[in-house]
Amino acid sequence: MMKLKHCPTTLCAALAFLSAFSPKGASASDQPNVIIIYSDDHGYTDLGIHGIDAHLDTPHMDALARGGALMKAGYSSAPQCRPSRCGLMAGRIQNEFGFADNHADAGAGEGTLPRVYPTGTDMAGQPLLTIADRMKKLGYVTGFSGKWHCGPNEDAKKQFDPRGRGFDDYWVAPMTTGYTNLDLEGNRVPHQKESNPADANQNRVILQGQYAESFVVKNKDKPFFLFFPIFGPHVPMIKKDDPYYQDFPMHDYPQYNDAQDEHRRRGLALLKAMDDSIGGLVEKLRELGLEENTLILFAGDNGAPGKFNTSDIGSWNGSNNVPMRGNKGTLHEGGIRVPMFAHWKGTIPAGQVIEEMVTTLDFTATSLAVGGGDIPPEFDGVNLLPRLTGDSAAIEREQPMFWDFYTGQAIRMGDWKLWRNADTSVLFNIANDPAELTNLAYQQPERTQQLTKKLDEWSAALLPSARYDPDGRGSSMEPAFGGAPSNIKPDPRYLVPYDKPVATPYPAAVQSPGGHAITETQPEPITAPAQKRRSQDQFLKSRDRDGDGVITLEEYIGDPKGRNVSALTKHFSKLDSNNDGKLSLEELKNAGG
């Protein structure tokens, strides 16, 4: 397996480096505090400093980003909650230890981060440590407040909840009832289930922030590591009797109807509550004189979910991915590019905007390096601190970033991103074209081959259960490259083309440089040996359950559970050239499907 290679950093060398950037009065032996804030289903649009939507009200997050480094090309390691969180905890692309999606079983039960590497992986049988485990070994006290989602919230054997994964103090709860060994005054209490009223001062995200503050108060005199996975703007939506909702104004989005305007309002109100929660934590750091000795890293866990699938709302949570294509669950930019920034007063110069790729796995590596530890060779992230402090002009990254999900696979190396599924391969200069509008595979065949080879090699080393399966769940999810239906109202926040921007129905269809839509002409897909495009004969046999030589719509859809039936029905109609309600082998071959 191709892995990142790091020059080992001794503890003394790391502390010597840190001493050059230590706040006034700190000695070389001081270890900075580290806080990772991880939002949930938070679309790229919804950070006010991006300037995409004027209705955002996130002054505290904006101030942190403005006072440090805004990462405009920040990525999560997966377009879904659990794998993204497990990747961050482990410092590796989660597929490499068998954890591909929310329902993955990597040897510890469905949806649970394993304690050892599964059989068949590169480190089989070795302990799978979390960043909290590693920071504890460096002498840090470790804390947790928010949504866990890497296993059960409370494990009777104390193996797979935060207690068993390296966290000393904790509030484990997505909502207002959860498990804790901490009270809101900063005192240690016996492990217990606690129910807190969701009143004006304690909606779920405000409460999570209060427990994060309590952890800081309790450990103000020790080096601490805090993981603060705040549960928003993920559904459930904010309650309508919550003051944050009642105080947030309604805005009229010209492309939305009244119900959608209302849903957006609820999403923005929860984001406002999140912002105040984060602001309260920062104010506590200032009050205790800790701000200049605390590195704060912020990122979303994946993009916002889609909307308007079967109704005015669908699965939408009120957050947006403008101007990125796609949404949660896809490997388009809207599924994996997330709000991201870093702040360390007095150490990270203010006003930086970093356009290079940064990943949430870099947060794991950076936290470890800041604490004085060595970055393990298996890690898929790099230490960002030299770039953030200005000691280095660029992020030193030897290997690409890879993604594998049930909707396809992707690789980004430098400015370039290749995306593929069983039927299509496309190439984007993602630095120039973040909205993924122009497929350059025709113009860049050598680069396409180069990225394909690297993706093939990485993919081949994954467990089959953690590798893209075109016949599995992803078979019902078509790529978002064909463009929005013609009756979609233009969203003025999407401005394309870039040279003379106009409001455009989005997503716009992906174009080849010659002007052809990708749906009209495509290069032959280049896929890994284990994932070569299925022949039309094999596809017919796999769907023809009654053996009559044709595929009905019911056979084409298969098990409707978890499938986008409307999308499959639409695709079936396109293939059914004679409109007889059946797909023959000839029709499949003519369509190339």
Side-chain angles (χ1 to χ4, degrees), residues 368-577:
L368 191 57
V370 165
D374 295 341
I375 298 176
E378 70 270 15
F379 266 30
D380 289 309
V382 299
N383 179 13
L384 299 172
L385 198 59
R387 175 69 173 89
L388 295 174
T389 59
D391 190 59
S392 175
I395 297 171
E396 296 183 6
R397 189 187 304 278
E398 294 183 9
Q399 295 293 345
M401 181 63 186
F402 300 97
W403 290 268
D404 183 300
F405 198 59
Y406 56 72
T407 52
Q409 295 181 320
I411 174 177
R412 176 163 177 177
M413 186 170 72
D415 292 345
W416 296 88
K417 175 183 176 184
L418 182 139
W419 178 98
R420 71 183 184 190
N421 66 4
D423 302 308
T424 303
S425 289
V426 288
L427 178 71
F428 302 104
N429 184 317
I430 213 70
N432 296 334
D433 180 21
E436 297 172 298
L437 294 172
T438 305
N439 173 27
L440 297 175
Y442 299 95
Q443 289 187 336
Q444 298 278 339
E446 292 183 2
R447 193 181 303 276
T448 300
Q449 292 281 358
Q450 176 196 26
L451 294 181
T452 296
K453 181 179 179 181
K454 287 182 178 292
L455 187 50
D456 285 349
E457 291 172 352
W458 177 79
S459 175
L462 301 178
L463 293 173
S465 61
R467 188 188 302 138
Y468 166 61
D469 175 14
D471 288 323
R473 189 175 177 187
S475 63
S476 64
M477 305 187 97
E478 295 183 358
F481 289 145
S486 59
N487 62 344
I488 295 294
K489 293 181 181 179
D491 183 335
R493 295 168 301 170
Y494 287 107
L495 300 176
V496 292
Y498 301 127
D499 54 347
K500 295 179 180 179
V502 294
T504 304
Y506 192 86
V510 172
Q511 300 287 321
S512 301
H516 300 293
I518 188 172
T519 51
E520 296 175 2
T521 176
Q522 307 171 43
E524 182 66 22
I526 307 166
T527 56
Q531 297 170 299
K532 286 188 176 179
R533 189 175 179 179
R534 295 161 292 154
S535 71
Q536 289 83 4
D537 303 80
Q538 291 172 320
F539 182 78
L540 181 68
K541 290 178 182 178
S542 70
R543 290 291 195 272
D544 181 18
R545 288 181 291 184
D546 60 8
D548 64 353
V550 293
I551 302 172
T552 64
L553 175 60
E554 182 180 1
E555 290 172 327
Y556 186 76
I557 294 174
D559 181 3
K561 183 178 179 182
R563 290 176 177 264
N564 187 339
V565 174
S566 60
L568 288 173
T569 301
K570 181 179 178 181
H571 194 240
F572 180 91
S573 298
K574 290 181 179 178
L575 298 175
D576 184 15
S577 58

Side-chain angles (χ1 to χ4, degrees), residues 44-45 52 321-325 434-436 493-495 498 506:
Y44 186 84
T45 309
I52 298 169
N321 300 314
V322 176
M324 305 305 164
R325 179 181 298 276
E436 297 172 298
R493 295 168 301 170
Y494 287 107
L495 300 176
Y498 301 127
Y506 192 86

